[in-house]
């Protein structure tokens, strides 16, 4: 239909860019996966917050704020989202692992919920006498170092070094 407007009348025109994306629901998703998916929107500011005792596994998004799931938005304009996820556990690497049997140290740390990798140290630069005096199967050092704080995320691990 063609409606005529009197000359001098103020009108408002809304022009759509035609661009609209529906935001996914990230609740129940791993925080790293959610952030990777949101990275395709360079104009979106993604903030994160941790929560303890949500009942969800570590690293799982428990709520999505500032933009609800299925909200339509223009990816070319500035937008914000906040993802709240179950905090990963943090530990302090115990000093008593140095000098401990490698398998006992690994078991002890794993029982605390930490992921552990063992690394056999290279002896090629040692003299025959040094090799003969080595204590084998004993933790020599760790990474991160003893008494350092360590957060157990999906891809983090503690390395125990031994001969």
């Amino acid at each position: 239909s063609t409606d005529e407007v009197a000359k001098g009348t103020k009108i408002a025109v809304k022009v759509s860019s035609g661009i609209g994306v529906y935001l996914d629901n990230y609740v129940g998703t791993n925080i790293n996966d959610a952030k990777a998916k949101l990275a395709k929107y360079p104009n979106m500011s993604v903030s994160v917050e941790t929560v303890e005792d949500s009942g969800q596994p570590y690293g799982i998004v428990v709520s999505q704020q500032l933009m609800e799931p299925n909200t339509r938005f223009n990816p070319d304009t500035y937008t914000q989202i906040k993802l709240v996820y179950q905090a990963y556990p943090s530990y302090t690497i115990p000093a008593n692992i140095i000098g401990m049997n490698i398998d006992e140290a690994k078991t002890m740390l794993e029982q605390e919920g930490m992921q552990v990798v063992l690394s056999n140290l290279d002896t090629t630069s040692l003299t025959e006498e040094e090799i003969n005096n080595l204590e084998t199967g004993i933790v020599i050092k760790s990474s991160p170092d003893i008494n350092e704080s360590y957060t157990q995320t999906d891809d983090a691990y503690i390395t125990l070094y031994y001969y």
Side-chain angles (χ1 to χ4, degrees):
S1 88
T2 55
D3 292 331
E4 289 192 26
V5 178
K7 187 175 182 176
T9 302
K10 290 184 178 181
I11 62 169
V13 178
K14 186 173 185 178
V15 179
S16 170
S17 67
I19 298 172
V21 176
Y22 288 94
L23 186 66
D24 289 336
N25 183 356
Y26 296 102
V27 174
T29 305
N30 178 279
I31 186 65
N32 297 322
D33 295 340
K35 286 174 19 182
K37 288 176 183 171
L38 289 167
K40 66 184 171 188
Y41 305 118
N43 296 315
M44 181 177 285
S45 169
V46 180
S47 60
V48 294
E49 183 178 299
T50 60
V51 60
E52 304 283 339
D53 303 323
S54 70
Q56 292 295 316
Y58 302 129
I60 297 298
V61 176
V62 296
S63 74
Q64 178 170 323
Q65 300 171 2
L66 306 179
M67 272 184 85
E68 293 298 315
N70 300 315
T71 300
R72 189 172 179 195
F73 70 100
N74 181 342
D76 294 334
T77 60
Y78 178 78
T79 52
Q80 296 180 73
I81 186 171
K82 180 194 251 183
L83 300 174
V84 180
Y85 68 96
Q86 173 61 43
Y88 287 99
S90 290
Y91 305 95
T92 299
I93 308 297
N96 67 340
I97 62 171
I98 302 301
M100 185 182 280
N101 173 282
I102 192 72
D103 296 320
E104 289 175 17
K106 181 176 191 283
T107 299
M108 181 182 85
L109 296 175
E110 286 176 341
Q111 287 175 344
E112 292 293 321
M114 300 178 232
Q115 293 183 53
V116 181
V117 173
L118 303 180
S119 180
N120 199 331
L121 293 168
D122 184 13
T123 58
T124 55
S125 64
L126 300 178
T127 66
E128 190 175 328
E129 184 180 343
E130 288 173 322
I131 290 172
N132 290 337
N133 291 327
L134 279 181
E135 283 191 79
T136 57
I138 301 296
V139 178
I140 304 299
K141 64 180 179 173
S142 68
S143 177
D145 286 331
I146 60 168
N147 298 322
E148 282 189 15
S149 182
Y150 166 80
T151 300
Q152 182 60 65
T153 59
D154 297 332
D155 56 354
Y157 55 88
I158 297 167
T159 304
L160 298 180
Y161 297 93
Y162 69 103
Y163 288 109

